[in-house]
């Protein structure tokens, strides 16, 4: 374990730095357990109160400076073994119980109050060994006379052979005093049990919620107690089962790590007193102090490493289940371990220098918190971004020097990475793909959904078409997936109704005694109606007479049985915008450097530790403990003490040092500092949606929202619509690991080769990548989410609050107080049990003040779009030290009055603020005149789970665009641009040639055979309708020109596409139809504040009325496959079929009207920029689920690249991609071998005579490369300049007997690149040059 210490000198802190430049030691605040009482005047959303401020610019709370509280505050961080929990759904209860047994979890969930994970109980006995030595040779008048008296050395603690040992301290001239203390972490006392009037229970015990007591006494208990070893009442040989304590103490999320709230449980206050043999009490004023802390479980049953071998458990499996690794310096498990295991957690901290200064004196201790506080005053080292990397890049940009690089090597490499991702002039392909990857991290995914498909045979390639079912199977499979999707929607609605039960109960409980009697009666009637509605809806959802969960579950089960051989897949999921990420530069994590690695265990603390010099460590007699601890732990504990006492730096007699201690275990001259959480408060100003515009943003022209240039947001109306939002977010240990993981993801996408980029810039080398990954964990920054910001915008609060359920020996039950209140509004026990899992957030009710005018504004906002500024930002460490990011001083530049001193954060790209027309001042709600910006801009985002539905669709009867199944081909046909002949060749979805159209006049060209009307008539109606437009000369010329221009400008070459063809023919393009919609996972949220608005006519914006912009494709993203779109009506006309607007072909590559005049009839249009999506919530009880979804979609005909996905951008959600299944390319493109007319070509000699043998005649259905359909070759013809491909020649002949043109297949000989003047005669020939190999086959690599 890592042990940390804070040295509190009392009133003489010994630091001369001005108080405003110092962190302050906050008052001790305890959870307000009164807020758990179900009374309107007491109940609270969060009983964990914010850290209170000290008196203005004070360095410490006066109570923390009392002499009785001076000393050493010791805290130890529990291993991860006790911090990892296990949780599972009801359907997985058997598996969860099995995993509990394997992992040493308790069979019951201690402290559970309704739901949540199960944690292993922590050790409840902690032995603290203290060793105190002198600092210098004390003079006679020393304040520490005990160091001069040899009789003060504790006798009997060292074996006889080392009598009088150890001889000295740092300089070998003073004695060492040892003391031992024992902590009973499970000791519970009420107020009346604290009989010692001198005991300061705020520092000697922890506040405790005793769930077994009535509500009046719940907040009057204390947990934990410390004893001197000699005064400790030992447990005895057969102790009773102790109370189980876990890191998840009820209602206290920081219990395990916040020292002021876990005293004598996981921390120890040492007042540095010592009682000599004459019963005199001494308080040390100068000393070097070392501590060793050891913890163990009282009984075997509570010990997670104690294995019940009789139950078939093994020691090795238990270690594996607990993520524990046997230390390599110790013996291996097989050759050493003699029997069962017991857990002994231990840690040490050495050589704490205690030099209490005089009243006017100072000491030389460093205060890391003060350094960071000074940084806030000078540099404002705060960044707000959409994710950790975005925030980190924003900070790097703000600290950039003139030459484009920062001075720190790690920063330089990160800036290189930023350049690779964000610089538009560098490796564009990789940049944009990596940037899209990072953008996905901005969102929180909702629960995944299931869809069903037939299980593919083993070892089938990915590009194989799924099994095509029979018509009956297809019908049933569609019905199954529709039923599954509707079941998912019903389950979500069911959960919403359960959450509404909880919200109604909480709101009534919070408001029930407020207002007049008439108001209370009306409130009760309203609650009864709401409860009735929710209960009825739950009943309908579960087992109603129509569409219900039970009926759909049965239908899904029956269809699964009917079909058989099915496999579950995952559908696109719903997302919400992640709360902003707050990053603080210079705030280095103090968690152990190896925290994210597996915990190492030693099979015996003294096993195989070699000593290079000096005698072995003198053992401490086990009799010290007088058999007060379990016998199996006696020797290991004394070994640990010895290892700590005699191996720390400074003992000259023993030069060896234990390999299990490092610099993290030694005092290095700095005060204890361990940042634990951040408390923030902001003023959020809501900016109307109509003032925002959707379009390209920033230098990379990424799609997003920004304030319109004409928007005036500094108006009284906008300034009046504001909210105070606040939260508390933990500083987790894995910030560096998260960054490292993100970097690995980015590296996997960009620059796989150590080569120069396209502009000659050096990307990161492999060595630089390794260096950066190794350094990521050690960067001096911490990042955390501003959790709860979005919830509060929707009038909900996170926090530790009371719930109506608790776990008893008989299972989950209702708290008596809740049952009484519930009776008033008709709640039953079944209603309360239905709330389980839905109580994470609480409605505002009347408990949260609304500062905006309640007669004008609603506090509820269905979408975020506004700006906020920080009014508080406190960084709190585990000992209660606080850094104030926002000082309590007036901001003289603020135009509307004094406020706290502003904080000017760095902003990520998405949260950047625009500048006004003067290009100097920021466009913010409360304008400043100094050119600085203290606001963060939050662009529009939806405050609940939403998803973009994008799917290939096809016409269905009678009026439906139906989403295609996985075995159906979404390609309506293929178009190949034939540049050589200025024509477009059309192929069927399976690659059969249909027709070629000349661009000059639009007339179909019958090459090389007569037109086959059967092929045309067999095409999809959409494709037939498109081909009808090819007969319009101006239309086809413009359409061809736009496609040809797009081919030239889009340069992304997939590895599976033959590069040689790009320069000759262009790509094959797929014609397909797709639909897009914006679906809500749950009904639109509603206002849950009962304070505002007062006027019922003031309605918040309706989410269903929002129209959000979106974009299909991206001109600048070469990883986007869109060539252009046509719009279609959302429904299919039962008589006329699909209604498609063929007169407007929207593309990003239309001709510039200033350069090229548009051909009359040209359908090409600049890509439509005003596309909007309106959110919708499908009715889960609809009788036709497919119709319910399809009615809200917008349908398009797309011309797309088959190798590259089509991207749909909303800026509200992750980029949605539509990609053709690989098998459609295999079935279609691989069979396309295009050809073009060539000639006349002058060749020496004559052509080979016509061969009438049917094996040589080219049939209409011939296919090169297919042995069954490829004709035999009849001679060869030299054709010039064909070295870029593999070609064949179709030579026409006139068949006198048949009276028709027939063809033989000839080979192609590469022509000599210069005249060779072969003898006459020469022959002029015409024919067709045809590509022999399919499009997607790559060119063979040169040796």
């Amino acid at each position: 374990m890592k042990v940390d210490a804070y040295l509190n000198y009392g009133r003489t802190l010994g630091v001369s730095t001005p108080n405003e430049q110092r962190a302050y030691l906050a008052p001790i605040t305890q959870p307000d357990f009164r807020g758990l009482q179900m009374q309107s005047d007491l109940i609270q959303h969060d009983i964990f109160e914010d850290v209170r401020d000290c008196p203005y610019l004070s360095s410490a709370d006066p109570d923390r400076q009392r002499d009785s509280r001076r000393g050493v505050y010791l805290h130890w961080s529990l291993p991860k073994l006790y911090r990892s929990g296990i949780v599972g759904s009801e359907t997985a209860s058997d598996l969860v119980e099995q995993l509990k047994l394997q992992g040493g979890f308790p069979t019951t969930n201690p402290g559970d109050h309704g739901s949540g994970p199960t944690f292993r109980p922590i050790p409840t006995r902690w032995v603290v060994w203290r060793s105190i030595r002198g600092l210098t040779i004390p003079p006679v008048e020393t304040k520490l006379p005990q160091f001069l008296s040899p009789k003060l050395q504790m006798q009997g603690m060292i074996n006889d052979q080392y009598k009088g040992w150890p001889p000295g301290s740092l300089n070998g001239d003073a004695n060492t005093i040892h003391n031992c203390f024992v902590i009973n972490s499970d000791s519970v006392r009420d107020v009346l049990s604290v009989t010692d009037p001198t005991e300061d229970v705020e520092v000697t015990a922890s506040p405790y919620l005793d769930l077994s007591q009535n509500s009046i006494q719940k907040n009057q208990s204390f947990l934990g107690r410390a004893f001197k070893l000699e005064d400790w009442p030992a447990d005895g040989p057969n102790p009773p089962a102790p109370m189980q304590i876990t890191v998840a103490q009820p209602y206290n999320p920081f219990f395990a790590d916040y020292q002021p709230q876990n005293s004598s449980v996981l921390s120890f206050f040492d007042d540095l007193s010592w009682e000599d043999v004459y019963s005199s009490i001494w308080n040390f004023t100068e000393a070097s102090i070392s501590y060793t802390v050891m913890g163990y479980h009282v009984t075997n049953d509570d010990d997670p490493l104690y294995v019940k071998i009789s139950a078939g458990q093994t020691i090795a499996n238990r270690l594996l289940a607990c993520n524990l690794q046997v230390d390599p310096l110790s013996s291996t498990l097989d050759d050493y371990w003699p029997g069962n295991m017991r857990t002994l957690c231990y840690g040490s901290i050495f050589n704490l220098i205690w030099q209490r200064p005089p009243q006017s004196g100072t000491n030389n201790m460093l205060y890391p918190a003060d350094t960071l506080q000074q940084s806030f005053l000078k540099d404002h080292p705060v960044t707000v971004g959409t994710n950790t990397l975005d925030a980190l890049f924003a900070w790097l940009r703000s600290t950039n020097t003139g030459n484009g690089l920062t001075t720190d090597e790690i920063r330089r490499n990160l800036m290189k990475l930023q350049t690779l991702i964000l610089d538009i002039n560098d490796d564009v392909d990789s940049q944009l793909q990596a940037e899209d990857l990072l953008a996905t991290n901005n969102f929180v995914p909702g629960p995944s959904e299931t869809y069903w498909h037939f299980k593919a045979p083993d070892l089938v390639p990915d590009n194989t078409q799924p099994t095509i079912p029979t018509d009956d199977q297809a019908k049933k499979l569609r019905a199954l997936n529709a039923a599954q999707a509707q079941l998912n929607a019903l389950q979500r609605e069911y959960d919403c109704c359960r959450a509404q039960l909880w919200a109604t109960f909480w709101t009534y409980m919070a408001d029930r005694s407020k207002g007049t009697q008439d108001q209370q009666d009306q409130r009760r009637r309203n609650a009864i109606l709401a409860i009735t509605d929710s209960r009825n809806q739950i009943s309908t959802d579960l087992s109603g007479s129509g569409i219900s969960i039970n009926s759909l579950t049965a239908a899904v089960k029956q269809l699964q049985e009917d079909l058989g051989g099915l496999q579950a897949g995952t559908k696109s999921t719903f997302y919400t915008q992640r709360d902003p990420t707050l990053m603080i530069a210079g705030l280095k994590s103090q968690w152990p450097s190896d925290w994210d690695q597996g915990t190492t265990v030693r099979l015996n603390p003294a096993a195989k530790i070699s000593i290079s010099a000096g005698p072995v460590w003198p053992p401490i007699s086990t009799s010290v403990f007088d058999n007060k601890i379990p016998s199996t732990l006696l020797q290991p504990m004394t070994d640990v003490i010895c290892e700590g006492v005699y191996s720390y730096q400074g003992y000259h007699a023993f030069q060896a040092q234990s390999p299990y201690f490092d610099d993290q275990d030694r005092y290095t001259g700095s005060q204890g500092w361990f940042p634990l959480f951040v408390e923030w408060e902001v003023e959020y100003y809501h900016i109307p949606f109509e003032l925002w515009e959707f379009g390209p943003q920033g230098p990379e022209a990424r799609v997003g929202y920004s304030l319109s240039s004409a928007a005036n947001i500094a108006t009284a109306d906008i300034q009046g619509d504001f909210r105070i939002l606040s939260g508390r977010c933990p500083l987790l240990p894995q910030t560096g690991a998260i960054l490292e993981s993100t970097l690995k993801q980015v590296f996997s996408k960009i620059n796989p080769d150590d080569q120069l980029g396209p502009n000659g810039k050096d990307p990161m080398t492999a060595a630089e990548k390794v260096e950066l990954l190794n350094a990521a964990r050690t960067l001096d920054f911490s990042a955390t989410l501003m959790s709860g910001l979005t919830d509060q915008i929707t009038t909900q609060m996170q926090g530790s609050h009371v719930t109506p359920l608790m776990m008893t020996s008989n299972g989950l039950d209702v708290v008596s107080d809740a049952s009484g209140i519930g009776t008033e509004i008709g709640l039953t026990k079944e209603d309360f049990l239905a709330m389980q899992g839905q109580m994470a957030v609480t409605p505002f009710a009347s408990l949260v003040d609304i500062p905006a005018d309640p007669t004008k504004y609603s506090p509820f906002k269905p979408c975020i779009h506004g700006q906020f500024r920080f009014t508080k930002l406190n960084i709190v460490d585990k000992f209660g030290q606080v850094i104030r990011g926002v000082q309590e001083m007036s901001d003289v530049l603020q135009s509307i009055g004094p406020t706290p001193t502003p904080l000017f954060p760095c902003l990520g790209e998405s949260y950047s603020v625009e500048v006004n027309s003067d290009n100097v001042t920021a466009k913010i709600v409360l304008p400043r005149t100094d050119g600085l910006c203290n606001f963060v801009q939050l662009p529009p985002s939806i405050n609940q789970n939403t998803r973009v539905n994008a799917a290939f669709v096809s016409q269905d009867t009678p009026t439906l665009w139906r989403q295609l199944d996985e075995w159906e081909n979404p390609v309506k046909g293929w178009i190949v641009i034939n540049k050589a002949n200025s024509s477009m060749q059309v192929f069927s979805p399976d690659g059969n040639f249909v027709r070629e159209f000349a661009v000059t006049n639009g007339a179909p060209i019958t090459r090389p055979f007569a037109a086959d009307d059967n092929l045309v008539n067999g095409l999809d109606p959409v494709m037939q309708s498109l081909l009808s437009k090819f007969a319009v000369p101006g239309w086809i010329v413009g359409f061809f020109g736009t496609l040809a221009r797009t081919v030239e400008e889009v340069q992304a070459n997939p590895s599976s596409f033959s590069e040689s063809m790009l320069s000759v023919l262009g790509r094959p393009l797929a014609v397909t139809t797709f639909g897009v919609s914006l679906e809500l996972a749950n009904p639109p949220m509603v206002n849950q504040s009962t304070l505002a608005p007062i006027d019922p006519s003031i309605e918040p914006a309706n989410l269903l009325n929002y129209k959000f912009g979106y974009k299909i494709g991206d001109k600048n993203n070469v990883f986007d496959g869109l060539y252009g779109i046509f719009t279609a009506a959302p429904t299919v006309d039962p008589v006329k079929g699909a209604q498609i607007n063929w007169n407007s072909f929207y593309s990003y590559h239309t001709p510039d009207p200033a350069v090229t005049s548009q051909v009359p009839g040209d359908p090409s249009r600049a890509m439509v920029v005003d596309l909007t999506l309106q959110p919708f919530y499908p009715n889960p009880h609809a009788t036709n689920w497919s119709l319910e979804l399809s009615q809200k979609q917008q349908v398009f005909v797309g011309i797309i690249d088959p190798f590259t996905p089509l991207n749909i951008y909303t800026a509200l959600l992750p980029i949605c991609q539509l990609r053709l299944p690989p098998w459609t390319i295999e079935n279609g493109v691989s069979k396309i071998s295009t050809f073009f007319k060539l000639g006349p070509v002058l060749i020496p000699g004559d052509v080979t005579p016509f061969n009438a043998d049917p094996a040589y005649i080219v049939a209409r259905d011939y296919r090169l490369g297919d042995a069954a359909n490829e004709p035999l070759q009849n001679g060869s013809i030299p054709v010039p300049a064909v070295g870029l491909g593999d070609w064949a020649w179709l030579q026409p002949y006139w068949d006198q007997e048949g009276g028709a043109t027939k063809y033989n297949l000839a080979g192609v000989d590469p022509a000599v690149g210069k005249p060779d003047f072969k003898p006459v005669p020469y022959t002029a020939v015409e024919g067709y040059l045809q590509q022999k190999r399919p499009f997607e086959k790559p060119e063979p690599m040169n040796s």
Side-chain angles (χ1 to χ4, degrees), residues 1164-1219:
S1164 302
R1165 305 286 186 270
M1167 178 58 70
V1168 59
V1169 295
D1170 58 350
L1171 291 173
T1172 59
L1173 285 174
Q1174 207 164 341
F1176 78 100
Y1177 174 65
N1179 178 13
H1181 298 275
T1183 55
N1184 188 330
W1185 181 251
S1186 298
L1187 181 62
E1188 182 73 14
L1189 292 179
S1190 66
Q1191 288 177 335
K1192 304 298 182 181
Q1193 68 183 350
Q1194 299 177 12
V1195 181
F1196 302 90
V1197 176
I1199 312 297
I1200 65 175
D1201 188 310
F1203 304 99
T1204 312
L1206 166 66
N1207 297 310
I1208 298 173
Y1209 305 84
T1210 63
L1212 304 168
L1213 296 163
I1215 297 170
C1216 183
Q1217 290 190 333
L1218 265 179
R1219 186 189 300 270

Side-chain angles (χ1 to χ4, degrees), residues 858-871:
S858 171
F860 171 78
K861 311 297 180 185
C863 297
I864 288 179
H865 35 85
Q867 295 179 345
F868 72 76
R869 63 173 179 174
F870 286 97
T871 54

Side-chain angles (χ1 to χ4, degrees), residues 29-78:
T29 56
Q30 309 290 6
D32 187 1
F33 291 133
R34 295 177 304 168
L36 299 175
Q37 299 188 48
M38 296 182 180
Q39 301 178 21
S40 298
D41 57 340
L42 294 177
I43 192 170
Q44 297 179 23
H45 292 288
D46 187 6
I47 65 167
F48 193 94
E49 296 183 350
D50 283 355
V51 172
R52 293 194 297 269
D53 286 335
C54 291
Y56 181 66
L57 291 182
S58 174
S59 61
D61 172 54
D63 284 342
R64 298 292 295 269
Q65 295 178 296
R66 296 203 306 255
D67 286 345
S68 63
R69 294 185 174 182
R70 73 187 186 197
V72 178
Y73 291 80
L74 208 63
H75 178 269
W76 44 93
S77 299
L78 283 170

Side-chain angles (χ1 to χ4, degrees), residues 1 28 136 214 260 331 360 369 429 450 511 577 705 954 995 1131:
M1 302 181 303
I28 296 176
T136 59
N214 61 50
S331 299
S360 59
D429 300 9
T450 300
D511 298 349
Q577 174 74 44
Y705 284 93
S954 184
R995 193 165 289 181
T1131 58

Side-chain angles (χ1 to χ4, degrees), residues 728-913:
R728 182 185 310 105
C729 40
L731 293 168
L732 300 177
Q734 65 267 33
T735 298
I738 293 173
L739 174 60
E740 180 188 31
S741 176
T742 304
L743 293 176
K744 286 181 177 179
Q745 286 182 298
V746 174
F747 287 154
S748 69
K749 296 292 183 181
I750 62 175
N751 293 320
D753 302 318
D754 294 332
Q755 299 174 354
L756 292 179
N759 294 325
K761 295 183 179 180
D762 285 317
M764 294 183 68
T765 65
E768 288 174 328
K769 292 177 183 179
V770 171
E771 178 187 3
L772 183 55
L773 289 174
N774 291 336
R777 300 171 183 269
T778 62
L779 281 176
D780 290 350
F781 80 97
S782 292
T784 184
L785 287 177
M786 296 177 65
S787 301
L789 185 145
T790 301
D791 284 332
Q792 292 174 61
I793 293 291
T794 60
T795 59
Q796 298 179 104
M797 287 288 287
Q798 297 180 2
S800 299
H801 52 265
V802 67
T803 63
L805 300 176
M806 68 175 295
M807 185 64 69
T808 68
S809 58
N810 296 322
L812 203 59
D813 202 356
V814 182
V815 177
S816 59
D817 290 349
S819 181
I821 296 172
T823 302
E824 299 176 10
I825 54 177
L827 283 170
T828 65
K829 181 177 180 179
E830 289 71 25
D831 294 330
F832 280 113
L833 293 178
M835 300 176 191
Q836 185 181 9
Q838 306 297 322
M839 301 180 290
V841 295
T842 53
F844 270 18
S846 60
L847 302 180
V848 177
D849 291 333
I850 307 299
D853 187 344
T855 65
K856 293 182 179 181
Y857 307 103
S858 171
F860 171 78
K861 311 297 180 185
C863 297
I864 288 179
H865 35 85
Q867 295 179 345
F868 72 76
R869 63 173 179 174
F870 286 97
T871 54
K872 182 176 81 171
L873 185 65
N874 288 343
I875 303 169
V876 185
D877 98 317
K878 65 164 55 177
F879 298 106
Q881 297 177 92
V882 181
I883 293 173
R884 288 173 278 214
V886 177
Q887 293 282 348
E888 298 177 347
M889 292 180 282
S890 295
D891 178 10
V892 296
L893 291 174
Q894 178 51 250
S895 61
I896 66 169
T899 64
T901 299
L903 181 68
F904 301 108
C906 306
L907 303 179
E909 184 178 358
S910 297
Y911 293 153
S912 297
V913 175

